[in-house]
C-alpha cells in the first residue's frame, strides 16, 4: 500500500513540475494519428489527453494560456509567424521548395491554428511555457511532424481549398504520395480545368440544360457527377462558379477524391490528349472534364473507344464525335448509351428516317438524356395537329429539342397562334416549316413580333396570311434585324404604309439582309434599270430573285430589245414564257 501511494505521489509531482525535457518526452510518446499511441509507464495520461491526441479536429483554445505571461497582440503575431515558419519547414523537409512551402503555409490558416492549439493544450497539461519564438516554433514543428501527414494536409487546404476535416480525411488515403508529387498533380489538374479558357462554350448554361433534360435512370458515374454539380448549384453564384477554380475545385476533389490518386502521365494526360485528337478544342477540354469528371478514370482502349464505337452510325468521323462529346459529355455514361438504343428503336417504330435521327442526335445530343416515356407524348401531339410523316422527319432533324418541350408550353404556343386567326391545319404547316416558333417564349418573343407588325401597319385581317407565308418572321430579332431593315426601306423613300402593304403582299420582305439583298437590288433598280419605287411597291417579290442569275440577264435582254415591261412581266414568267415573249423563241 505504501509503495502504491509513493508511486502515485511521484506521478503527480512529475505532472506538476515537468523537467526541461517535456517535449523530448513528447517526441518519444507522440505518434501519427494512424499509429497506436504509447505513453511512459510513470505518467499515464488523463482521459482528456488521450482524446486530444487522437481527435483529428482542432482543439478549442483554453481561456488562459500558461505558455506566456503576456497576451498582447505582438506576442500572438510572433507565435503565429513562428507556427507558419514551422509548417513551411515541415513542407521543406518533405521535399517542397522553399518558396512554395512558405506560400502553402501562409494559405493554410486552419492547419496552422490546429497545431498552435495543440501546443497550447499540451503546455497547459504539463505547465510548460515557451521562452522564445524559436522554442515555440520547434514545438509546433514537432507537433506537425508527429501528425504524420508529411505536409499533405496544409497542401490540400492551401492549394485545393478544402476545409480542415476534409483535408485530413483525404490525406489519410494519400499517404503513399509525397508532397511534391501531390503538388505537381494539383497544379496540372488546375491548369487543364481553369486556364486557357474558351468563352465560346458557356459551361454553366450547358450544365443547366443537361441537368434539366435528364429523365432516365442513371449509373453511379452519372450520379456522382450530378451530386457534384448540385453542390455547385447550391452555392451563391450557382453553376457559373464551375469555370472558377476558387468556386468549384474544392467541390470537385471532395466529390471525386480518387482524382488525386491518378497518375498525371499514365491517366490524366492521355485522356486530355485523346480529347484533343478527336476534335475537342484545347480551350474547351475543361468543359468536358468538369461536366463529366469520371472520364478521367476511364481507360481509353477499354472504356472510351468502345463507347465511342456505339455512335459510329451517327457521327462517323472522330471530329464529329468530338463535337457531340463537347455538347453532351454524358454520352460516355452507360445509362445514356443504353437510352440511345431505346430512342433509336422508338423513332424507327414511328417511321422516322435514319438520316433524320442521326442528324438530330448530332445537332442536339441532349435528347439522349430523355426517356422514351417523355418523348412519346410530344410525338403524339405533333401528329395530332396535322404534322405529317414527312414534316415529322424535318422537325426531328432540324429541331429535335422540340421533342423535349413540356406539353403545356407547346399547347400555349398552339393556342396563341390559333388566337391570331390561324386554323389548326395552318398551325401544323407552320410547325413543319419553322418548328423553332414552338420553343419560343410567347411574351418575350412572339408577342413582340406581332406588336412590330401592328405598329408597321399590318392589319389583324392580314396577320394570319403574313404568318402562313413567312413564319420565320417570328424568329427574327426585332432590334437587330427587323427595325434596321424597315429603317433602310424608309430611308430609300418608301412610306410606312407602303412597307406594310408590301409585307402584306410578300411576307419574307423583312427577312432579307440589307447588305446582301435589299441594297444591291435597290441600287440596280434605281441606278441601272432607272425604275421608280412604285414598281417594287406593286411587286415586292422583286427582292426574292437572284440579281446575277435572273434580274440582270433578263433586264439586259429587254434593254437590247428596246422595250419596256413591268417587274412582274420581266421576272414573274418562267424561262420558257420569258423566251417566247422577249427572245422570239
Amino acid at each position: 500500500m505504501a509503495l502504491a501511494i509513493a508511486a502515485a505521489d511521484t506521478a503527480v509531482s512529475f505532472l506538476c513540475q515537468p523537467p526541461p525535457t517535456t517535449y523530448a518526452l513528447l517526441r518519444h510518446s507522440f505518434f501519427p494519428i494512424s499509429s497506436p499511441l504509447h505513453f511512459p509507464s510513470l505518467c499515464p495520461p488523463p482521459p482528456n489527453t488521450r482524446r486530444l491526441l487522437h481527435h483529428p479536429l482542432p482543439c478549442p483554445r483554453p481561456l488562459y494560456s500558461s505558455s506566456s505571461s503576456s497576451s498582447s497582440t505582438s506576442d500572438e503575431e510572433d507565435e503565429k509567424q513562428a507556427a507558419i515558419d514551422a509548417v513551411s519547414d515541415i513542407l521543406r523537409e518533405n521535399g517542397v521548395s522553399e518558396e512554395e512551402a512558405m506560400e502553402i503555409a501562409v494559405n493554410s490558416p486552419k492547419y496552422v491554428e490546429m497545431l498552435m492549439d495543440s501546443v497550447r493544450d499540451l503546455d497547459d497539461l504539463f505547465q510548460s511555457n515557451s521562452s522564445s519564438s524559436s522554442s515555440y516554433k520547434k514545438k509546433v514543428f514537432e507537433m506537425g511532424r508527429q501528425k504524420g501527414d508529411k505536409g499533405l494536409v496544409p497542401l490540400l487546404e492551401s492549394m485545393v481549398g478544402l476545409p480542415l476535416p476534409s483535408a485530413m480525411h483525404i490525406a489519410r488515403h494519400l499517404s503513399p504520395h509525397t508532397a511534391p508529387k501531390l503538388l505537381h498533380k494539383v497544379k496540372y489538374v488546375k491548369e487543364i480545368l481553369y486556364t486557357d479558357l474558351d468563352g465560346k462554350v458557356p459551361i454553366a448554361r450547358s450544365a443547366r440544360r443537361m441537368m434539366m433534360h435528364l429523365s432516365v435512370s442513371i449509373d453511379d458515374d452519372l450520379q456522382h457527377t450530378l451530386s457534384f454539380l448540385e453542390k455547385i448549384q447550391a452555392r451563391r453564384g450557382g453553376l457559373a462558379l464551375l469555370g472558377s477554380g476558387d468556386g468549384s475545385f474544392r467541390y470537385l476533389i471532395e466529390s471525386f477524391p480518387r482524382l488525386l490518386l491518378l497518375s498525371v502521365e499514365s491517366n490524366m494526360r492521355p485522356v486530355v490528349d485523346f480529347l484533343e485528337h478527336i476534335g475537342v478544342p484545347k480551350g474547351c477540354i475543361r468543359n468536358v472534364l468538369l461536366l463529366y469528371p469520371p472520364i478521367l478514370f476511364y481507360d481509353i482502349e477499354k472504356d472510351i473507344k468502345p463507347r465511342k464505337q456505339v455512335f459510329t452510325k451517327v457521327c462517323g468521323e472522330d471530329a464529329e464525335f468530338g463535337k457531340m462529346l463537347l455538347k453532351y459529355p454524358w454520352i460516355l455514361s452507360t445509362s445514356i448509351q443504353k437510352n440511345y438504343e431505346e430512342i433509336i428503336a422508338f423513332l424507327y417504330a414511328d417511321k422516322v428516317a435514319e438520316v433524320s435521327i442521326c442528324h438530330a442526335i448530332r445537332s442536339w445530343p441532349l435528347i439522349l438524356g430523355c426517356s422514351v416515356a417523355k418523348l412519346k407524348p410530344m410525338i403524339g401531339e405533333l401528329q395530332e395537329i396535322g404534322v405529317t410523316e414527312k414534316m415529322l422527319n424535318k422537325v426531328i432533324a432540324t429541331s429535335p429539342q422540340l421533342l423535349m418541350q413540356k406539353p403545356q408550353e407547346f399547347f400555349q404556343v398552339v393556342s396563341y397562334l390559333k388566337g391570331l386567326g390561324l386554323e389548326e391545319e395552318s398551325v401544323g404547316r407552320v410547325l413543319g416549316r419553322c418548328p423553332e416558333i414552338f420553343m419560343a417564349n410567347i411574351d418575350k418573343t412572339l408577342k413582340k413580333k406581332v406588336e412590330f407588325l401592328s405598329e408597321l401597319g399590318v392589319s389583324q385581317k392580314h396577320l394570319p396570311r403574313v404568318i402562313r407565308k413567312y413564319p420565320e418572321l417570328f424568329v427574327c430579332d426585332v432590334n437587330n434585324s427587323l427595325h434596321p431593315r424597315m429603317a433602310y426601306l424608309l430611308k430609300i423613300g418608301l412610306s410606312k404604309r407602303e412597307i406594310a402593304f408590301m409585307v402584306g403582299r410578300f411576307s419574307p420582305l423583312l427577312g432579307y439582309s440589307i447588305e446582301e439583298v435589299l441594297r444591291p437590288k435597290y441600287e440596280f433598280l434605281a441606278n441601272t434599270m432607272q425604275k421608280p419605287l412604285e414598281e417594287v411597291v406593286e411587286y415586292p417579290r422583286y427582292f426574292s430573285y437572284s440579281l446575277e442569275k435572273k434580274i440582270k440577264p433578263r433586264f439586259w435582254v429587254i434593254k437590247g430589245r428596246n422595250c419596256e415591261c413591268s417587274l412582274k412581266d420581266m421576272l414573274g414568267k418562267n424561262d420558257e414564257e420569258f423566251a417566247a415573249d422577249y427572245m422570239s423563241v
Side-chain angles (χ1 to χ4, degrees), residues 475-499:
V475 293
C476 290
D477 187 276
V478 172
N479 295 323
N480 295 323
S481 298
L482 298 181
H483 274 306
R485 290 165 190 169
M486 186 181 73
Y488 176 75
L489 294 175
L490 290 170
K491 181 181 177 182
I492 64 175
L494 293 169
S495 68
K496 227 178 182 184
R497 184 177 178 180
E498 287 173 327
I499 297 172

Coordinates of all heavy atoms in Angstrom, one line a residue, residues 475-499:
V475 N -38.9 34.4 -85.7 CA -37.6 34.1 -85.1 C -36.6 35.1 -85.5 O -35.4 35.0 -85.2 CB -37.1 32.7 -85.4 CG1 -38.0 31.6 -84.8 CG2 -37.1 32.4 -86.9
C476 N -37.0 36.2 -86.2 CA -36.1 37.3 -86.5 C -36.0 38.2 -85.3 O -37.0 38.4 -84.6 CB -36.7 38.1 -87.7 SG -36.6 37.3 -89.3
D477 N -34.9 38.8 -85.0 CA -34.7 39.7 -83.9 C -35.2 41.1 -84.3 O -34.9 41.6 -85.3 CB -33.2 39.8 -83.6 CG -32.9 40.6 -82.3 OD1 -32.9 41.8 -82.4 OD2 -32.8 40.0 -81.3
V478 N -36.1 41.6 -83.4 CA -36.7 42.8 -83.7 C -35.7 44.0 -83.8 O -35.7 44.8 -84.7 CB -37.8 43.2 -82.6 CG1 -38.4 44.6 -82.8 CG2 -39.0 42.1 -82.7
N479 N -34.9 44.1 -82.7 CA -34.0 45.2 -82.7 C -32.8 45.1 -83.6 O -32.4 46.1 -84.2 CB -33.4 45.4 -81.2 CG -34.5 45.7 -80.3 OD1 -35.4 46.5 -80.6 ND2 -34.5 45.2 -79.1
N480 N -32.3 43.9 -83.8 CA -31.1 43.8 -84.7 C -31.4 43.5 -86.1 O -30.5 43.6 -87.0 CB -30.2 42.7 -84.1 CG -29.6 43.0 -82.7 OD1 -29.3 44.2 -82.5 ND2 -29.5 42.1 -81.8
S481 N -32.6 43.1 -86.5 CA -32.9 42.7 -87.8 C -34.1 43.5 -88.4 O -34.0 44.2 -89.4 CB -33.2 41.2 -87.9 OG -32.1 40.4 -87.5
L482 N -35.3 43.3 -87.8 CA -36.5 43.9 -88.3 C -36.5 45.5 -88.4 O -36.8 46.1 -89.4 CB -37.7 43.4 -87.6 CG -38.0 41.9 -87.6 CD1 -39.2 41.6 -86.8 CD2 -38.1 41.4 -89.0
H483 N -36.1 46.1 -87.3 CA -36.1 47.6 -87.2 C -35.1 48.1 -88.2 O -35.4 49.1 -89.0 CB -35.8 48.0 -85.8 CG -37.0 48.2 -85.0 ND1 -38.1 48.9 -85.4 CD2 -37.3 47.7 -83.8 CE1 -39.1 48.8 -84.4 NE2 -38.6 48.1 -83.5
P484 N -33.8 47.6 -88.3 CA -32.8 48.1 -89.2 C -33.3 48.0 -90.7 O -33.1 48.9 -91.5 CB -31.6 47.3 -89.0 CG -31.7 46.9 -87.6 CD -33.2 46.6 -87.3
R485 N -34.0 46.9 -91.0 CA -34.4 46.7 -92.4 C -35.6 47.6 -92.7 O -35.6 48.2 -93.8 CB -34.9 45.2 -92.6 CG -33.7 44.2 -92.5 CD -34.1 42.8 -92.3 NE -33.0 41.9 -92.1 CZ -33.1 40.7 -91.7 NH1 -34.3 40.1 -91.5 NH2 -32.0 40.0 -91.4
M486 N -36.5 47.8 -91.8 CA -37.5 48.8 -92.0 C -37.0 50.2 -92.2 O -37.4 51.0 -93.0 CB -38.5 48.7 -90.9 CG -39.8 49.6 -91.1 SD -41.0 49.6 -89.8 CE -40.1 50.6 -88.6
A487 N -36.0 50.5 -91.3 CA -35.4 51.8 -91.4 C -34.7 52.1 -92.8 O -34.7 53.2 -93.3 CB -34.3 52.0 -90.3
Y488 N -34.1 51.0 -93.3 CA -33.5 51.1 -94.6 C -34.5 51.4 -95.7 O -34.3 52.3 -96.6 CB -32.7 49.9 -95.0 CG -32.1 49.9 -96.4 CD1 -31.0 50.7 -96.6 CD2 -32.7 49.2 -97.4 CE1 -30.5 50.8 -97.9 CE2 -32.2 49.3 -98.7 CZ -31.1 50.1 -99.0 OH -30.6 50.2 -100.2
L489 N -35.6 50.7 -95.7 CA -36.7 50.9 -96.6 C -37.3 52.3 -96.5 O -37.6 52.9 -97.6 CB -37.8 49.8 -96.5 CG -37.3 48.4 -96.8 CD1 -38.4 47.4 -96.5 CD2 -36.9 48.2 -98.2
L490 N -37.4 52.8 -95.3 CA -37.9 54.2 -95.1 C -36.9 55.2 -95.7 O -37.2 56.2 -96.3 CB -38.1 54.5 -93.7 CG -39.3 53.8 -93.0 CD1 -39.2 54.0 -91.5 CD2 -40.6 54.3 -93.5
K491 N -35.6 54.9 -95.5 CA -34.5 55.8 -96.0 C -34.5 55.9 -97.5 O -34.2 57.0 -98.0 CB -33.2 55.2 -95.5 CG -32.0 56.1 -95.9 CD -30.7 55.5 -95.3 CE -29.5 56.3 -95.8 NZ -28.2 55.7 -95.3
I492 N -34.8 54.8 -98.2 CA -34.8 54.9 -99.7 C -36.0 55.6 -100.3 O -36.1 55.7 -101.5 CB -34.5 53.6 -100.3 CG1 -35.7 52.6 -100.1 CG2 -33.2 52.9 -99.9 CD1 -35.6 51.3 -100.8
G493 N -37.0 55.9 -99.4 CA -38.1 56.7 -99.9 C -39.5 56.1 -99.7 O -40.5 56.6 -100.1
L494 N -39.5 54.9 -99.2 CA -40.8 54.2 -99.0 C -41.5 54.7 -97.7 O -40.8 55.0 -96.7 CB -40.6 52.7 -98.9 CG -40.2 52.0 -100.2 CD1 -39.8 50.5 -99.9 CD2 -41.2 52.0 -101.3
S495 N -42.8 54.8 -97.7 CA -43.5 55.2 -96.5 C -43.8 54.0 -95.7 O -43.8 52.8 -96.2 CB -44.8 55.9 -96.9 OG -45.7 55.0 -97.5
K496 N -44.2 54.2 -94.4 CA -44.6 53.1 -93.6 C -45.8 52.3 -94.1 O -45.8 51.1 -94.1 CB -44.9 53.6 -92.2 CG -44.2 52.9 -91.0 CD -44.6 53.5 -89.7 CE -43.9 52.8 -88.6 NZ -44.3 53.3 -87.3
R497 N -46.7 53.0 -94.7 CA -47.9 52.4 -95.2 C -47.5 51.5 -96.4 O -48.1 50.4 -96.6 CB -48.9 53.5 -95.7 CG -50.2 53.0 -96.2 CD -51.1 54.1 -96.5 NE -52.4 53.7 -97.1 CZ -53.4 54.5 -97.4 NH1 -53.2 55.8 -97.3 NH2 -54.5 53.9 -97.9
E498 N -46.6 52.0 -97.2 CA -46.2 51.2 -98.4 C -45.4 50.0 -98.0 O -45.6 48.9 -98.6 CB -45.3 52.1 -99.3 CG -46.0 53.2 -100.1 CD -45.1 54.1 -100.8 OE1 -44.0 54.4 -100.3 OE2 -45.5 54.6 -101.9
I499 N -44.6 50.1 -96.9 CA -43.9 48.9 -96.4 C -44.9 47.9 -95.9 O -44.8 46.7 -96.1 CB -42.9 49.3 -95.3 CG1 -41.8 50.3 -95.9 CG2 -42.2 48.1 -94.7 CD1 -40.9 50.9 -94.9

